[in-house]
Every structure is written in C-alpha cells, then in structure tokens.
CSV table of all heavy atoms in Angstrom, one decimal:
chain,number,residue,atom,x,y,z
A,147,GLN,N,0.8,-1.2,0.0
A,147,GLN,CA,0.0,0.0,0.0
A,147,GLN,C,0.9,1.3,0.0
A,147,GLN,O,0.6,2.2,-0.7
A,147,GLN,CB,-1.0,0.0,1.2
A,147,GLN,CG,-2.0,1.2,1.2
A,147,GLN,CD,-2.8,1.2,-0.1
A,147,GLN,OE1,-3.3,0.2,-0.5
A,147,GLN,NE2,-2.9,2.4,-0.8
A,148,ALA,N,1.9,1.2,0.8
A,148,ALA,CA,2.8,2.4,0.8
A,148,ALA,C,3.4,2.6,-0.6
A,148,ALA,O,3.5,3.8,-1.0
A,148,ALA,CB,4.0,2.2,1.8
A,149,ASN,N,3.8,1.6,-1.3
A,149,ASN,CA,4.4,1.7,-2.6
A,149,ASN,C,3.3,2.2,-3.6
A,149,ASN,O,3.6,3.0,-4.5
A,149,ASN,CB,5.0,0.4,-3.1
A,149,ASN,CG,6.3,0.1,-2.3
A,149,ASN,OD1,6.9,1.0,-1.8
A,149,ASN,ND2,6.7,-1.1,-2.4
A,150,LYS,N,2.1,1.7,-3.5
A,150,LYS,CA,1.0,2.2,-4.3
A,150,LYS,C,0.7,3.7,-4.1
A,150,LYS,O,0.5,4.4,-5.1
A,150,LYS,CB,-0.3,1.4,-4.1
A,150,LYS,CG,-0.2,0.0,-4.7
A,150,LYS,CD,-1.6,-0.7,-4.8
A,150,LYS,CE,-1.5,-2.0,-5.4
A,150,LYS,NZ,-1.1,-2.0,-6.8
A,151,ASP,N,0.8,4.1,-2.9
A,151,ASP,CA,0.6,5.5,-2.6
A,151,ASP,C,1.8,6.4,-3.2
A,151,ASP,O,1.5,7.5,-3.7
A,151,ASP,CB,0.6,5.8,-1.1
A,151,ASP,CG,-0.7,5.2,-0.4
A,151,ASP,OD1,-1.6,4.9,-1.1
A,151,ASP,OD2,-0.7,5.0,0.8
A,152,LEU,N,3.0,5.8,-3.1
A,152,LEU,CA,4.1,6.5,-3.8
A,152,LEU,C,3.9,6.6,-5.3
A,152,LEU,O,4.2,7.7,-5.9
A,152,LEU,CB,5.4,5.8,-3.4
A,152,LEU,CG,6.0,6.1,-2.1
A,152,LEU,CD1,7.2,5.2,-1.8
A,152,LEU,CD2,6.4,7.5,-1.9
A,153,ILE,N,3.5,5.6,-5.9
A,153,ILE,CA,3.2,5.6,-7.3
A,153,ILE,C,2.2,6.6,-7.7
A,153,ILE,O,2.4,7.4,-8.6
A,153,ILE,CB,2.8,4.1,-7.8
A,153,ILE,CG1,4.0,3.2,-7.7
A,153,ILE,CG2,2.3,4.2,-9.3
A,153,ILE,CD1,3.7,1.7,-7.9
A,154,SER,N,1.1,6.6,-6.9
A,154,SER,CA,0.1,7.6,-7.1
A,154,SER,C,0.6,9.0,-7.0
A,154,SER,O,0.3,9.9,-7.9
A,154,SER,CB,-1.1,7.4,-6.2
A,154,SER,OG,-2.1,8.3,-6.3
A,155,THR,N,1.4,9.3,-6.0
A,155,THR,CA,2.0,10.6,-5.8
A,155,THR,C,2.9,11.0,-7.0
A,155,THR,O,2.9,12.1,-7.5
A,155,THR,CB,2.7,10.7,-4.5
A,155,THR,OG1,1.8,10.4,-3.4
A,155,THR,CG2,3.4,12.0,-4.2
A,156,GLY,N,3.7,10.0,-7.4
A,156,GLY,CA,4.6,10.3,-8.5
A,156,GLY,C,3.9,10.6,-9.7
A,156,GLY,O,4.3,11.5,-10.5
A,157,MET,N,2.8,9.9,-10.0
A,157,MET,CA,2.0,10.1,-11.2
A,157,MET,C,1.4,11.5,-11.2
A,157,MET,O,1.4,12.2,-12.2
A,157,MET,CB,0.9,9.1,-11.3
A,157,MET,CG,1.4,7.7,-11.7
A,157,MET,SD,0.1,6.4,-11.6
A,157,MET,CE,-1.0,7.1,-12.8
A,158,LYS,N,0.9,11.9,-10.0
A,158,LYS,CA,0.3,13.3,-9.9
A,158,LYS,C,1.4,14.3,-10.1
A,158,LYS,O,1.1,15.3,-10.8
A,158,LYS,CB,-0.3,13.4,-8.5
A,158,LYS,CG,-1.6,12.6,-8.3
A,158,LYS,CD,-2.1,12.8,-6.9
A,158,LYS,CE,-3.3,11.8,-6.7
A,158,LYS,NZ,-3.7,11.7,-5.3
A,159,GLU,N,2.5,14.2,-9.5
A,159,GLU,CA,3.6,15.2,-9.7
A,159,GLU,C,4.1,15.2,-11.1
A,159,GLU,O,4.3,16.3,-11.6
A,159,GLU,CB,4.7,14.8,-8.7
A,159,GLU,CG,4.4,15.0,-7.3
A,159,GLU,CD,5.5,14.6,-6.3
A,159,GLU,OE1,6.5,13.9,-6.8
A,159,GLU,OE2,5.4,14.8,-5.1
A,160,PHE,N,4.2,14.1,-11.7
A,160,PHE,CA,4.7,14.0,-13.1
A,160,PHE,C,3.6,14.7,-14.0
A,160,PHE,O,4.0,15.5,-15.0
A,160,PHE,CB,4.9,12.6,-13.6
A,160,PHE,CG,5.6,12.4,-14.9
A,160,PHE,CD1,6.9,12.7,-15.0
A,160,PHE,CD2,4.8,12.0,-16.0
A,160,PHE,CE1,7.5,12.5,-16.3
A,160,PHE,CE2,5.5,11.8,-17.2
A,160,PHE,CZ,6.8,12.1,-17.3
A,161,ASN,N,2.4,14.5,-13.8
A,161,ASN,CA,1.3,15.1,-14.6
A,161,ASN,C,1.4,16.6,-14.4
A,161,ASN,O,1.2,17.4,-15.4
A,161,ASN,CB,0.0,14.6,-14.1
A,161,ASN,CG,-1.0,14.6,-15.3
A,161,ASN,OD1,-0.7,14.5,-16.4
A,161,ASN,ND2,-2.3,14.6,-14.9
A,162,VAL,N,1.6,17.1,-13.2
A,162,VAL,CA,1.8,18.6,-13.0
A,162,VAL,C,3.0,19.1,-13.8
A,162,VAL,O,2.9,20.1,-14.5
A,162,VAL,CB,2.0,18.9,-11.5
A,162,VAL,CG1,2.4,20.3,-11.3
A,162,VAL,CG2,0.7,18.6,-10.7
A,163,LEU,N,4.1,18.4,-13.8
A,163,LEU,CA,5.2,18.8,-14.6
A,163,LEU,C,4.9,18.9,-16.1
A,163,LEU,O,5.2,19.9,-16.8
A,163,LEU,CB,6.4,17.7,-14.4
A,163,LEU,CG,7.6,17.9,-15.4
A,163,LEU,CD1,8.4,19.2,-15.0
A,163,LEU,CD2,8.5,16.7,-15.3
A,164,LEU,N,4.2,17.9,-16.6
A,164,LEU,CA,3.8,17.9,-18.0
A,164,LEU,C,2.9,19.1,-18.3
A,164,LEU,O,3.0,19.7,-19.4
A,164,LEU,CB,3.1,16.6,-18.4
A,164,LEU,CG,4.0,15.3,-18.4
A,164,LEU,CD1,3.2,14.1,-18.7
A,164,LEU,CD2,5.2,15.4,-19.3
A,165,ASN,N,1.9,19.3,-17.4
A,165,ASN,CA,0.9,20.4,-17.7
A,165,ASN,C,1.5,21.8,-17.5
A,165,ASN,O,1.0,22.8,-18.0
A,165,ASN,CB,-0.2,20.2,-16.7
A,165,ASN,CG,-1.1,19.0,-17.0
A,165,ASN,OD1,-1.2,18.6,-18.2
A,165,ASN,ND2,-1.7,18.5,-16.0
A,166,GLN,N,2.7,21.9,-16.9
A,166,GLN,CA,3.4,23.2,-16.7
A,166,GLN,C,4.2,23.6,-17.9
A,166,GLN,O,4.6,24.7,-18.0
A,166,GLN,CB,4.3,23.2,-15.5
A,166,GLN,CG,3.6,23.1,-14.2
A,166,GLN,CD,4.5,23.1,-13.0
A,166,GLN,OE1,5.7,22.6,-13.2
A,166,GLN,NE2,4.1,23.4,-11.9
A,167,GLN,N,4.4,22.7,-18.9
A,167,GLN,CA,5.3,23.0,-20.0
A,167,GLN,C,4.6,24.0,-21.0
A,167,GLN,O,3.4,23.9,-21.3
A,167,GLN,CB,5.6,21.7,-20.8
A,167,GLN,CG,6.3,20.7,-19.9
A,167,GLN,CD,7.4,21.3,-19.1
A,167,GLN,OE1,8.4,21.8,-19.7
A,167,GLN,NE2,7.4,21.1,-17.8
A,168,VAL,N,5.4,25.0,-21.4
A,168,VAL,CA,5.0,26.0,-22.3
A,168,VAL,C,5.9,25.9,-23.5
A,168,VAL,O,7.2,25.8,-23.4
A,168,VAL,CB,5.1,27.4,-21.7
A,168,VAL,CG1,4.8,28.5,-22.7
A,168,VAL,CG2,4.3,27.5,-20.4
A,169,PHE,N,5.4,25.8,-24.7
A,169,PHE,CA,6.2,25.6,-25.9
A,169,PHE,C,6.4,27.0,-26.6
A,169,PHE,O,5.4,27.6,-27.0
A,169,PHE,CB,5.4,24.7,-26.8
A,169,PHE,CG,5.1,23.4,-26.2
A,169,PHE,CD1,3.8,23.0,-26.0
A,169,PHE,CD2,6.1,22.6,-25.6
A,169,PHE,CE1,3.4,21.8,-25.4
A,169,PHE,CE2,5.8,21.4,-25.0
A,169,PHE,CZ,4.4,21.0,-24.9
A,170,ASN,N,7.6,27.4,-26.6
A,170,ASN,CA,8.0,28.6,-27.3
A,170,ASN,C,9.0,28.4,-28.4
A,170,ASN,O,9.7,27.4,-28.4
A,170,ASN,CB,8.6,29.6,-26.3
A,170,ASN,CG,7.7,30.0,-25.2
A,170,ASN,OD1,6.5,30.3,-25.4
A,170,ASN,ND2,8.1,30.0,-23.9
A,171,ASP,N,9.0,29.3,-29.3
A,171,ASP,CA,10.1,29.3,-30.4
A,171,ASP,C,11.4,29.6,-29.7
A,171,ASP,O,11.4,30.4,-28.8
A,171,ASP,CB,9.8,30.3,-31.5
A,171,ASP,CG,8.8,29.7,-32.5
A,171,ASP,OD1,8.8,28.5,-32.7
A,171,ASP,OD2,8.1,30.5,-33.1
A,172,PRO,N,12.5,29.0,-30.1
A,172,PRO,CA,12.5,27.9,-31.0
A,172,PRO,C,12.2,26.5,-30.3
A,172,PRO,O,12.5,26.3,-29.2
A,172,PRO,CB,14.0,27.9,-31.4
A,172,PRO,CG,14.7,28.4,-30.2
A,172,PRO,CD,13.8,29.4,-29.6
A,173,LEU,N,11.4,25.8,-31.1
A,173,LEU,CA,11.0,24.5,-30.5
A,173,LEU,C,12.1,23.4,-30.8
A,173,LEU,O,12.9,23.6,-31.8
A,173,LEU,CB,9.7,24.0,-31.3
A,173,LEU,CG,8.5,24.9,-31.0
A,173,LEU,CD1,7.4,24.4,-32.0
A,173,LEU,CD2,8.0,24.8,-29.6
A,174,ILE,N,12.2,22.5,-29.9
A,174,ILE,CA,13.1,21.4,-30.1
A,174,ILE,C,12.5,20.3,-31.0
A,174,ILE,O,11.3,20.3,-31.1
A,174,ILE,CB,13.7,20.8,-28.8
A,174,ILE,CG1,12.5,20.2,-28.0
A,174,ILE,CG2,14.4,21.9,-28.0
A,174,ILE,CD1,13.0,19.4,-26.7
A,175,SER,N,13.3,19.4,-31.6
A,175,SER,CA,12.7,18.4,-32.4
A,175,SER,C,11.9,17.4,-31.6
A,175,SER,O,12.0,17.3,-30.4
A,175,SER,CB,13.9,17.6,-33.1
A,175,SER,OG,14.6,16.8,-32.2
A,176,GLU,N,11.1,16.7,-32.3
A,176,GLU,CA,10.3,15.6,-31.6
A,176,GLU,C,11.2,14.6,-30.9
A,176,GLU,O,10.9,14.2,-29.8
A,176,GLU,CB,9.4,14.9,-32.7
A,176,GLU,CG,8.5,13.9,-32.1
A,176,GLU,CD,7.7,13.2,-33.1
A,176,GLU,OE1,7.7,13.6,-34.3
A,176,GLU,OE2,7.0,12.2,-32.8
A,177,GLU,N,12.2,14.2,-31.6
A,177,GLU,CA,13.2,13.2,-31.0
A,177,GLU,C,13.8,13.8,-29.7
A,177,GLU,O,14.0,13.0,-28.8
A,177,GLU,CB,14.3,12.9,-32.0
A,177,GLU,CG,13.7,12.1,-33.2
A,177,GLU,CD,13.1,13.1,-34.3
A,177,GLU,OE1,13.4,14.3,-34.3
A,177,GLU,OE2,12.4,12.6,-35.2
C-alpha cells in the first residue's frame, strides 16, 4: 500500500510537470 501511494503521488507530480510545459520558439525536435 505504501508503494501504491508513492506511485500515485509520483504520477500526480509528473502530470503537474507535463501540464506546466510551455512551448515557445525555437521548438526542439520531436526526437
């Protein structure tokens, strides 16, 4: 259960990181 809670927390934090990204010129390649 402790590990499941950590996984859930990690997922939430990672999602916040992704949602905070702003794409400005110059953009990097897809790769």
Side-chain angles (χ1 to χ4, degrees):
Q147 186 56 49
N149 289 341
K150 286 196 176 294
D151 292 345
L152 282 173
I153 291 167
S154 177
T155 299
M157 290 171 59
K158 288 176 189 168
E159 291 173 353
F160 190 73
N161 210 27
V162 168
L163 172 70
L164 295 178
N165 289 331
Q166 288 177 339
Q167 300 313 303
V168 177
F169 307 117
N170 296 316
D171 276 330
L173 296 172
I174 63 174
S175 71
E176 181 182 355
E177 295 80 17

